[in-house]
Amino acid sequence: MKVKKLVLLALLVAMCSASVAVAAENYVRKVDNFFILVDRSGSMDEKYVGTKDTKIVLAKALLERMNAMIPELGYQGALSTAAPSGEIQALEAYTTAGYGASVAKIPTLIGSNPTPLGVGLAGLEPALQGAVGRSAVIVVSDGRENTGEGSVKVAAALAEKYGACFHTISFADTVNGNQPLLDAITALKQPCGVGASAAQLADDAALKQFVKDVFYDDAAVDPCSLDDDGDGVNNCIDKCPDTIKGLAVDAAGCPIDDIVTLKINFDFDKSDIKPEYHQELADFASYMRQQQSFTVVEIAGHTDSVGSDEYNQKLSERRAKAVRDYLVNELGMDTNLFSAVGYGEGKPIATNDTDAGRAENRRILAELKGVYKKK
């Protein structure tokens, strides 16, 4: 697996790093300032195990890829080298293009430079001192040092004094390098320190995760911007959060009832259905067949106030039953879809003091409920 990653790294070095800058609108920055320190000591001029390229060449290519993954969130960025110590870009507003131009200036011809890695780290202090906010230092090195003050000691002092978080990209390999030293630098200010090897970061997904771990977090999602059931009403005010797709909803996100009413009037003291209502009954049955679900339809029978309560109760029941039987026997509807209930003269909708009012009260009323309007 390691050999495969190393081969992949070599292939990626040969590719053009013309990646599009990461969109920033969905992220928030973890740090305000970042400082990348690239080791240019003699050991970085050696070939990285498993590849045909030197560590410094691979380091430069890796930084080019990494730069394309950093979202423009208002960072201040700086770029320096160690062994020899030098500043390529002073701390300034970060842009993908601007920082990429600075990365392009990293020298890849080294020779036999000594390794005062601690001196390079100490050279960051003036910029760290003037930086405002949270700072991250990313050390790109194989961990070898053979002169000057110890790098772990210097990094520890900077972390303590300026609250800087240290991260490492390791080019230590089985031939040359000091991985424990890089691990010690990464561990100075946990849990923020992130360390990864160049072989691991040959994978774009791993490099993207490294960039995220160091530079940014996903922005908190405003729940009021979400609409889980897709009804056009955001989650914060949606009182019916699981609306079936395709239904029309009101301002509260609830389906709008599409109540269909069947009303049939009867002659005095009669329960037979007049022919003028046959088409209306057929239309009602047809509409019911088109619906996927609804509540049981109550067919409610009523009378006027002429006659005794007991007689009118039975008459209202006969009227309700007559309509149910017509729907079942003549129109082929399932009897279980209906209930026939008589209410006698107890629920008038008009005055019983006039012929017209009494005619209105001699009725059945059926409502198809549990059906909703569609968009």
Side-chain angles (χ1 to χ4, degrees):
M1 180 61 72
K2 184 175 180 181
V3 172
K4 286 184 178 179
K5 287 182 176 179
L6 293 173
V7 171
L8 177 58
L9 177 60
L11 291 173
L12 287 170
V13 169
M15 295 174 62
C16 173
S17 61
S19 302
V20 177
V22 178
E25 61 269 15
N26 297 321
Y27 306 129
V28 291
R29 63 181 186 240
K30 284 184 177 178
V31 296
D32 303 293
N33 320 286
F34 67 90
F35 304 82
I36 296 181
L37 181 68
V38 182
D39 182 359
R40 291 189 61 244
S41 61
S43 60
M44 289 291 287
D45 199 33
E46 299 171 358
K47 284 185 172 58
Y48 191 38
V49 169
T51 76
K52 298 179 180 180
D53 294 285
T54 62
K55 296 176 183 179
I56 188 63
V57 167
L58 296 176
K60 183 174 181 177
L62 191 153
L63 290 178
E64 288 172 343
R65 291 171 50 232
M66 186 173 83
N67 179 59
M69 296 180 182
I70 301 172
E72 294 183 354
L73 296 175
Y75 303 108
Q76 298 287 310
L79 178 63
S80 300
T81 61
S85 181
E87 184 178 74
I88 296 176
Q89 177 180 308
L91 193 63
E92 62 181 54
Y94 170 79
T95 65
T96 304
Y99 203 81
S102 295
V103 170
K105 296 176 183 178
I106 297 174
T108 55
L109 296 177
I110 295 178
S112 57
N113 293 338
T115 314
L117 187 56
V119 174
L121 286 167
L124 300 179
E125 183 165 12
L128 280 166
Q129 190 174 20
V132 177
R134 302 156 296 177
S135 295
V137 177
I138 303 169
V139 179
V140 183
S141 174
D142 62 4
R144 287 294 302 272
E145 59 180 355
N146 53 27
T147 185
E149 188 174 6
S151 56
V152 176
K153 181 180 178 180
V154 174
L158 294 175
E160 177 68 23
K161 192 171 183 179
Y162 302 106
C165 187
F166 280 81
H167 314 279
T168 57
I169 296 175
S170 173
F171 280 86
D173 57 25
T174 55
V175 175
N176 208 346
N178 187 345
Q179 187 62 47
L181 181 142
L182 297 173
D183 291 341
I185 291 175
T186 305
L188 287 172
K189 195 171 182 290
Q190 288 301 321
C192 73
V194 180
S197 70
Q200 291 170 329
L201 300 183
D203 176 66
D204 277 344
L207 182 57
K208 184 177 181 180
Q209 187 62 50
F210 179 85
V211 170
K212 182 178 180 182
D213 291 342
V214 173
F215 288 91
Y216 67 90
D217 275 319
D218 293 323
V221 177
D222 178 4
C224 293
S225 69
L226 301 178
D227 178 15
D228 289 344
D229 58 5
D231 62 1
V233 178
N234 75 65
N235 289 353
C236 289
I237 60 174
D238 195 339
K239 294 182 179 178
C240 301
D242 298 314
T243 300
I244 297 172
K245 291 188 181 303
L247 295 183
V249 297
D250 58 21
C254 294
I256 300 171
D257 289 322
D258 190 13
I259 298 175
V260 176
T261 302
L262 174 68
K263 181 175 177 287
I264 295 176
N265 291 104
F266 296 84
D267 290 336
F268 176 71
D269 197 25
K270 299 293 183 181
S271 61
D272 54 303
I273 300 170
K274 291 184 283 189
E276 64 193 77
Y277 292 109
H278 289 177
Q279 186 58 51
E280 191 171 341
L281 283 160
D283 292 343
F284 187 77
S286 176
Y287 184 79
M288 286 184 66
R289 290 190 184 96
Q290 296 173 31
Q291 309 311 312
Q292 294 181 343
S293 63
F294 46 82
T295 59
V296 171
V297 177
E298 180 186 273
I299 302 172
H302 304 273
T303 69
D304 59 26
S305 61
V306 178
S308 68
D309 290 347
E310 182 180 357
Y311 183 85
N312 284 336
Q313 176 62 38
K314 291 185 180 300
L315 177 58
S316 68
E317 291 172 2
R318 289 198 300 273
R319 286 172 174 168
K321 184 175 182 298
V323 173
R324 182 189 62 188
D325 290 348
Y326 188 91
L327 288 166
V328 172
N329 298 329
E330 301 298 327
L331 298 176
M333 301 299 291
D334 185 345
T335 189
N336 294 317
L337 298 178
F338 306 98
S339 65
V341 181
Y343 290 97
E345 62 185 73
K347 294 185 176 183
I349 59 173
T351 180
N352 276 304
D353 295 333
T354 66
D355 289 341
R358 288 190 294 272
E360 274 296 295
N361 291 332
R362 297 192 295 266
R363 72 198 189 279
I364 66 92
L365 193 66
E367 291 184 341
L368 182 61
K369 297 181 179 179
V371 177
Y372 304 102
K373 292 183 178 179
K374 297 178 174 59
K375 291 182 178 178

